[in-house]
Amino acid sequence: MLVIHLPFEDLPPVKLSDTVYHALQWMEQYRVRELPVTDNGEYMGLIKDEILLNEDENGKLGDLEHYLIKIGVNTNDHLLKAVAVANAANLNILPVTEANGKLAGVVGTNHLLKELGEFMQINEPGAIIVLEMEPAQYAFSEICRLVESNDAQITQLNTSGITEDNKMPVTIKINKLEVSDIVATFQRYGYQVRHYFGEELYANELKTNYENLMSYLNV
């Protein structure tokens, strides 16, 4: 998904000619920590509330231009880049610019999180398996083959950073809930299964609770 297709916030930008007081009022009204600053429609950067709170409220934003954070994404950037930029800078809102540098709008990080969840099909039913392996052991094609050999498919696969003991976590989402057979296959082929979350765990927990209850009633 491209950024241009994300829902933009109804948040007016402030101008270099606006006062610090005006910007702080906007922040309070719209409950944000930053605001995009423009000059004749051109995006100049973000101003944070922590900067404004230490300035004269009658001062102009143009006098604080050196505090502006030059950060944002383009309308044609991908959703994942937008998420990465917002997360790295710990932003409340993410400015979006057009190719000519004009401000197209801003996207709230809450919308980014929602769109990321839909992009990763988080709400789709399925089980999750977390493998841990040496980086040299990672082979996407073999992982797919082992899953598919159990009449299942991978709907999402993500690798994480290398751990201190030089292991690479690989998180897989499977399009079925019962994955004990897939877990056994991975273990048979030498993969270390760190965690797995599926229907059988929930079913086993219910079974255990039921047996405990029956034992209690029979006492």
Side-chain angles (χ1 to χ4, degrees):
M1 170 182 282
L2 298 183
V3 173
I4 188 62
H5 298 133
L6 296 174
F8 286 4
E9 297 288 338
D10 183 22
L11 177 65
V14 289
K15 303 182 291 294
L16 291 177
S17 58
D18 287 330
T19 64
V20 170
Y21 175 79
H22 176 75
L24 287 173
Q25 288 294 101
W26 267 162
M27 288 180 176
E28 182 178 357
Q29 179 176 338
Y30 287 92
R31 299 182 180 180
V32 293
R33 301 191 305 267
E34 325 68 33
L35 279 175
V37 182
T38 61
D39 184 28
N40 293 322
E42 182 179 356
Y43 174 61
M44 305 301 294
L46 273 182
I47 189 71
K48 284 184 169 287
D49 59 353
E50 59 193 48
I51 297 297
L52 299 180
L53 290 171
N54 294 318
E55 299 293 332
D56 180 3
E57 64 178 19
N58 295 315
K60 301 290 185 180
L61 295 180
D63 298 329
L64 306 176
E65 195 169 349
H66 55 289
Y67 285 118
L68 298 183
I69 304 173
K70 309 292 185 179
I71 194 170
V73 292
N74 190 270
T75 53
N76 290 322
D77 284 331
H78 194 272
L79 165 66
L80 294 183
K81 179 178 180 180
V83 172
V85 171
N87 182 62
N90 190 29
L91 297 179
N92 191 212
I93 57 170
L94 181 65
V96 180
T97 59
E98 299 173 354
N100 59 7
K102 299 289 185 179
L103 182 69
V106 298
V107 178
T109 51
N110 58 326
H111 283 130
L112 286 179
L113 182 61
K114 179 181 178 181
E115 296 295 336
L116 180 63
E118 293 182 2
F119 176 77
M120 299 182 67
Q121 302 180 30
I122 289 177
N123 293 326
E124 294 297 319
I128 294 175
I129 299 175
V130 181
L131 305 175
E132 196 172 73
M133 64 192 70
E134 302 284 343
Q137 185 187 5
Y138 174 72
F140 177 76
S141 57
E142 182 179 62
I143 292 174
C144 287
R145 180 180 64 82
L146 295 179
V147 171
E148 292 170 359
S149 69
N150 289 281
D151 297 322
Q153 290 183 333
I154 294 176
T155 58
Q156 191 70 225
L157 184 147
N158 295 283
T159 59
S160 304
I162 308 301
T163 62
E164 293 182 357
D165 55 350
N166 198 38
K167 294 294 181 65
M168 182 174 69
V170 179
T171 303
I172 308 167
K173 185 168 183 180
I174 311 294
N175 68 339
K176 58 187 291 189
L177 291 174
E178 209 293 318
V179 290
S180 57
D181 52 347
I182 300 176
V183 169
T185 298
F186 277 127
Q187 292 173 334
R188 189 165 63 252
Y189 277 80
Y191 286 91
Q192 184 175 8
V193 179
R194 296 293 298 177
H195 310 284
Y196 64 98
F197 310 91
E199 188 177 65
E200 71 281 350
L201 294 183
Y202 178 64
N204 288 341
E205 183 179 357
L206 287 179
K207 182 174 182 292
T208 300
N209 291 340
Y210 174 77
E211 291 175 348
N212 289 338
L213 175 61
M214 294 305 295
S215 297
Y216 172 78
L217 293 176
N218 288 332
V219 171

